[in-house]
């Protein structure tokens, strides 16, 4: 991964496109970037032979490029999406630094959230920086990944891409999403379980895994809610990682993150094994909206 940036810089000593004042992107996003930004919309073969990206130039030298994709329906909240992205990046990089963060309003009612991530230089491996934008308007959402290439471009990319994406508007609301799929998608939905305690009482749980990588859960005993929580989740290989953001009663700090091992998953059933307790539980899928989820336990 780290060698690709030097290959890109070496491969691009000339433009493969013409300067653009308006950019119409395949996912339905339109940009009218500031005129002082010298941009083209083109392929960069050393990065991807088919995907077109926004390339920022200084003369004939490539400074950085921005890849923009439309997300599938349901990814409308920046916080859980970026939490999942950061977790994936931590798995890929042995060391991760989270730098500048900001939010902004864009043309056409869009709102953007931007975060800078970097992997420090180590030995002969140079520093790698990515600037990630999550842009949404309540109906559609996009992710933009800015990758510095030229020496010194890291100092430009955060502020310049904010200026660039502040000009964004959804030109085609009915445009389809990009080719983005996530391992988590097969688990999205509402799940319920029911267990009997040694004293004969029944404990029921509801778990809703949302497409934007947030979750809601409620635990009830004999019909009385004893615990509820919301948070964010992500899947990595056969493990689910949970981060509890809000709960009642409030969890202690050391229990606000947890992992479950996926023992099995089908269209109708999900078996999880807790990393903390070692206990397995079987959940079955229900159709959210057809009935109150906890009532589905007894249908």
């Amino acid at each position: 991964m780290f060698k690709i940036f030097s290959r890109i810089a070496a491969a691009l000593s000339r433009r493969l496109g013409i300067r653009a004042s308006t950019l119409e992107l395949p996912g339905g996003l339109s940009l009218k970037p500031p005129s002082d930004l010298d941009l083209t919309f083109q392929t960069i073969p050393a990065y991807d032979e088919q995907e077109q990206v926004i390339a920022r130039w200084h003369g004939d030298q490539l400074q950085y490029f921005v890849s923009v994709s439309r997300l599938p329906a349901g990814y409308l909240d920046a916080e859980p999406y970026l939490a999942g992205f950061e977790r994936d990046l931590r798995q890929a990089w042995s060391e991760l630094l989270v730098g500048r963060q900001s939010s902004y309003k864009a043309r056409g009612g869009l709102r953007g959230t931007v975060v800078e991530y970097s992997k420090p230089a180590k030995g002969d491996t140079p520093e790698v920086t990515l600037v990630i934008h999550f842009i949404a308007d309540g109906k559609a959402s996009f992710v933009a990944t800015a990758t510095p290439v030229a020496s010194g471009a890291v100092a430009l990319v955060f502020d310049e891409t904010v200026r660039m994406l502040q000009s964004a508007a959804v030109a085609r609301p009915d445009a389809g999403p990009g080719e983005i799929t996530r391992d988590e998608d097969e688990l999205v939905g509402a799940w319920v379980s029911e267990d009997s305690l040694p004293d004969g009482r029944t404990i029921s749980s509801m778990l809703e895994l949302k497409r934007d990588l947030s979750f809601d859960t409620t635990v009830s005993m004999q019909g009385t809610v004893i615990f509820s929580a919301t948070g964010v989740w992500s899947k990595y290989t056969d493990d689910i990682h949970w981060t509890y953001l809000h709960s009642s009663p409030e969890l202690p700090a050391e229990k606000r993150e947890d992992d479950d091992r996926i023992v099995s998953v089908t269209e109708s059933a999900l078996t999880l094994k807790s990393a903390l307790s070692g206990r397995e539980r079987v959940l079955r899928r229900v159709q959210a909206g057809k009935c109150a989820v906890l009532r589905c336990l007894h249908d």
Side-chain angles (χ1 to χ4, degrees), residues 113-192:
T113 300
V114 55
V115 184
E116 180 184 80
Y117 301 98
S118 61
K119 177 179 174 62
K122 188 174 183 180
D124 294 332
T125 303
E127 180 183 49
V128 177
T129 297
L130 297 175
V131 175
I132 306 299
H133 294 255
F134 181 94
I135 313 156
D137 67 355
K139 296 180 181 179
S141 57
F142 303 81
V143 62
T145 302
T147 305
V149 174
S151 175
V154 173
L156 303 174
V157 66
F158 189 96
D159 291 332
E160 285 195 358
T161 54
V162 168
R163 292 174 57 215
M164 182 191 307
L165 291 165
Q166 281 177 326
S167 73
V170 179
R172 292 180 291 119
D174 58 344
E179 298 298 321
I180 291 183
T181 58
R182 296 181 66 93
D183 288 344
E184 289 90 344
D185 288 346
E186 68 174 335
L187 303 178
V188 169
W191 303 87
V192 295

Side-chain angles (χ1 to χ4, degrees), residues 38-74:
D38 187 359
L39 305 175
T40 60
F41 188 54
Q42 62 178 80
T43 59
I44 298 180
Y47 166 69
D48 189 293
E49 293 185 351
Q50 297 185 347
E51 182 184 357
Q52 289 189 301
V53 298
I54 302 167
R56 164 69 162 110
W57 298 87
H58 179 70
D60 288 330
Q61 185 179 25
L62 179 66
Q63 300 296 299
Y64 58 84
F65 63 94
V66 183
S67 172
V68 181
S69 299
R70 184 168 182 152
L71 295 171

